Amino acid sequence: MWDAVQIGPFLLKMSTLAVIVSIATGFLAITFLVKKDRATRGALTELLSNAVLLGFLVWKFSYALFHLDQVVQNPSSLLYFSGGERGAWLAALAVLVYFSLRLRKKSVPVDLVAWAVATGSLAATGMYQLLTVLLEQSGFLYHVQQIVLCLLFLVWLQRARKQLNELAVWLMLLMWFAIGQVYVQFYVQPREAAFAGLSSEQLVYYGCALLLLFLSRRMTKRKGENADEV
């Protein structure tokens, strides 16, 4: 079970603290791995900082959107609870809209932003899984395999960094990540099979992997046809 810590007059859930530490880890990973161009690093850091702050605030305070009655009765619950999984999806949507608007005005290459987001997300997710193991002491195999998966794809990202300006590379990376999630989800307990022995989450990841494979092959075929024409 998650515990809470008292910080002055506020009660902070350990889950929220774990999210904050994980986000900080993601930023440290980006700062450590980003190229030494100060102008680019400054613009990238500003862009990601604003995106993370926006995402965190939407995730945290979306609790009021989903549980308005509880917040009206007890406003302090807004500080203790978060929007949960639905709030996380809403935060992701808000960050996506923010990126689509700001990237037009920033001089940061899109592939660099995508690399930074992927690197920070993998580092943050790996740290969150580690903290979950330490704090909850349950689901050991699932969380450890998620950590290993994050580390493997972090290494892949760094090795393929020069090719990340090609969409096909991203499609393949995402496809294999989805396949990895299909495997790791076998260790979720309890797991309810929805079809062919796979849970609903596994079916979603499997469907995404097939779609990404199809798109990747289409892009590769089109690229080959264009090369033949030249």
Side-chain angles (χ1 to χ4, degrees):
M1 296 293 292
W2 293 103
D3 295 320
V5 292
Q6 188 80 29
I7 302 178
F10 302 105
L11 193 64
L12 182 65
K13 290 185 70 176
M14 291 298 292
S15 57
T16 302
L17 183 60
V19 170
I20 295 173
V21 172
S22 301
I23 291 173
T25 302
F27 267 99
L28 287 175
I30 295 170
T31 304
F32 179 76
L33 295 171
V34 76
K35 59 185 180 181
K36 297 181 180 180
D37 186 339
R38 291 186 178 181
T40 302
R41 182 172 59 185
L44 181 62
T45 302
E46 179 187 356
L47 183 69
L48 295 178
S49 298
N50 293 337
V52 168
L53 179 60
L54 172 64
F56 180 78
L57 291 177
V58 171
W59 170 74
K60 181 64 178 173
F61 294 107
S62 61
Y63 178 81
L65 181 64
F66 304 123
H67 305 88
L68 183 59
D69 294 340
Q70 290 88 330
V71 173
V72 171
Q73 296 175 5
N74 184 17
S76 62
S77 64
L78 195 59
L79 298 175
Y80 186 73
F81 297 104
S82 67
E85 184 176 350
R86 290 183 295 176
W89 282 109
L90 188 62
L93 178 61
V95 169
L96 183 62
V97 172
Y98 171 78
F99 276 139
S100 65
L101 295 175
R102 294 298 297 171
L103 281 177
R104 298 177 182 177
K105 301 179 180 180
K106 292 286 184 180
S107 58
V108 184
V110 175
D111 60 299
L112 178 60
V113 175
W115 167 85
V117 170
T119 298
S121 298
L122 286 170
T125 301
M127 176 56 69
Y128 186 80
Q129 297 293 339
L130 176 61
L131 292 175
T132 302
V133 169
L134 296 176
L135 293 172
E136 291 191 351
Q137 297 181 351
S138 61
F140 179 80
L141 287 176
Y142 169 76
H143 295 300
V144 167
Q145 290 184 91
Q146 287 283 18
I147 294 170
V148 172
L149 200 63
C150 288
L151 290 174
L152 288 175
F153 279 89
L154 272 174
V155 173
W156 188 350
L157 270 178
Q158 307 322 308
R159 291 189 173 182
R161 188 170 173 182
K162 293 182 179 180
Q163 291 84 41
L164 293 180
N165 58 343
E166 299 181 12
L167 182 57
V169 177
W170 283 105
L171 292 176
M172 289 300 296
L173 191 150
L174 290 172
M175 183 196 74
W176 282 109
F177 185 81
I179 292 173
Q181 288 298 324
V182 172
Y183 167 75
V184 172
Q185 292 295 321
F186 278 113
Y187 294 89
V188 173
Q189 297 297 332
R191 188 182 69 88
E192 296 183 2
F195 178 76
L198 300 177
S199 66
S200 56
E201 291 82 3
Q202 288 174 305
L203 289 173
V204 170
Y205 281 120
Y206 189 71
C208 289
L210 291 177
L211 177 61
L212 290 165
L213 177 61
F214 171 76
L215 293 174
S216 177
R217 288 188 172 182
R218 284 292 299 271
M219 288 196 64
T220 302
K221 182 178 179 181
R222 184 176 299 177
K223 186 176 180 180
E225 291 175 350
N226 293 337
D228 292 337
E229 292 176 359
V230 174

